Amino acid sequence: DTEVTQTPKHLVMGMTNKKSLKCEQHMGHRAMYWYKQKAKKPPELMFVYSYEKLSINESVPSRFSPECPNSSLLNLHLHALQPEDSALYLCASSPGGGPYTQYFGPGTRLTVL
Amino acid sequence: GESVGLHLPTLSVQEGDNSIINCAYSNSASDYFIWYKQESGKGPQFIIDIRSNMDKRQGQRVTVLLNKTVKHLSLQIAATQPGDSAVYFCAEKYSSASKIIFGSGTRLSIRP
């Protein structure tokens, strides 16, 4: 099973809302990632969790708050977002930090009104 | 047809022909390389990878070539099919690092 699942598939929220994106993998991977992708651009790394600890934060604004409740789950909590935060949010996982590929989920299409 | 680096964002290929997508990577210390395919509305899908101790690796209908001397990577798709239409990203990684660095992507379109 090389599947990473993400919910919801689509999300529309206002600038005052609080919402969460969820990601799950059951491949036993120990590294999990959040990416943001704008149209016609490559994915941009936001956060990396390694063994359930935050190891990289790519200077992401605090209105994005990641959480890794256990080795299979990754959340991204959203609060007071701006319209320019509208994008495809991708979760990925990999066995670890070595020469391993990252497996991506289908993404959550987020629209901020 | 052939794209010359990722500054040519679209490659148009006749169905049944071979496609060659090129990528110039940036870090000479990178030792692991990945090709991803991204269809519209979906997440990137792993196609094939190669480590720096190899110069060629073959998969099903796909071949990746690595030239470390000129920091160049290519993806060859044999007998291109309509289902191959997508954006293709190369990515590089320094093996002990957590991050992968994506190239800017090439859109492959198939002419019937």
Side-chain angles (χ1 to χ4, degrees):
Chain A
D1 180 11
T2 57
E3 188 178 29
V4 176
T5 59
Q6 290 187 245
T7 55
K9 192 175 176 66
H10 301 277
L11 178 62
V12 179
M13 61 186 291
M15 290 189 284
T16 59
N17 291 159
K18 286 186 181 181
K19 296 286 184 183
S20 296
L21 308 185
K22 296 185 184 302
C23 173
E24 191 166 4
Q25 58 88 14
H26 294 288
M27 295 177 277
H29 288 174
R30 304 319 300 260
M32 296 185 76
Y33 310 79
W34 279 116
Y35 287 84
K36 173 183 177 179
Q37 187 177 27
K38 298 286 250 183
K40 300 182 182 179
K41 297 288 187 183
E44 297 175 37
L45 183 67
M46 300 174 71
F47 302 104
V48 180
Y49 272 84
S50 180
Y51 291 87
E52 301 167 46
K53 294 191 187 316
L54 183 65
S55 61
I56 295 178
N57 176 341
E58 291 286 282
S59 303
V60 178
S62 60
R63 57 186 185 267
F64 295 91
S65 176
E67 178 196 19
C68 189
N70 60 55
S71 60
S72 300
L73 294 174
L74 188 66
N75 298 323
L76 185 64
H77 303 299
L78 314 173
H79 174 53
L81 294 194
Q82 304 297 311
E84 59 264 29
D85 295 322
S86 299
L88 181 68
Y89 287 83
L90 293 161
C91 175
S93 71
S94 70
Y100 305 112
T101 194
Q102 294 177 16
Y103 295 91
F104 284 82
T108 293
R109 174 70 61 189
L110 174 67
T111 302
V112 182
L113 301 176
Chain B
E2 179 175 354
S3 79
V4 183
L6 293 177
H7 52 274
L8 187 66
T10 302
L11 175 65
S12 180
V13 174
Q14 189 79 31
E15 183 178 348
D17 286 354
N18 297 336
S19 302
I20 301 174
I21 302 171
N22 295 302
C23 174
Y25 63 91
S26 57
N27 186 354
S28 56
S30 293
D31 56 5
Y32 179 63
F33 305 89
I34 311 158
W35 280 101
Y36 287 97
K37 171 186 180 183
Q38 188 172 24
E39 296 174 271
S40 181
K42 297 184 178 181
Q45 175 189 0
F46 169 79
I47 302 173
I48 193 167
D49 58 1
I50 188 167
R51 301 190 184 194
S52 58
N53 61 352
M54 303 172 70
D55 53 21
K56 180 179 180 179
R57 190 162 188 228
Q58 290 184 287
Q60 186 176 11
R61 276 201 312 119
V62 295
T63 301
V64 56
L65 299 178
L66 175 63
N67 184 331
K68 295 181 289 294
T69 303
V70 294
K71 294 192 292 184
H72 183 267
L73 193 65
S74 69
L75 177 70
Q76 301 178 3
I77 304 174
T80 310
Q81 302 170 358
D84 295 327
S85 292
V87 175
Y88 289 80
F89 292 102
C90 65
E92 60 182 296
K93 191 173 189 287
Y94 180 60
S95 61
S96 63
S98 298
K99 296 171 60 169
I100 63 174
I101 309 298
F102 282 89
S104 56
T106 297
R107 178 173 298 281
L108 178 64
S109 66
I110 314 303
R111 301 191 303 271

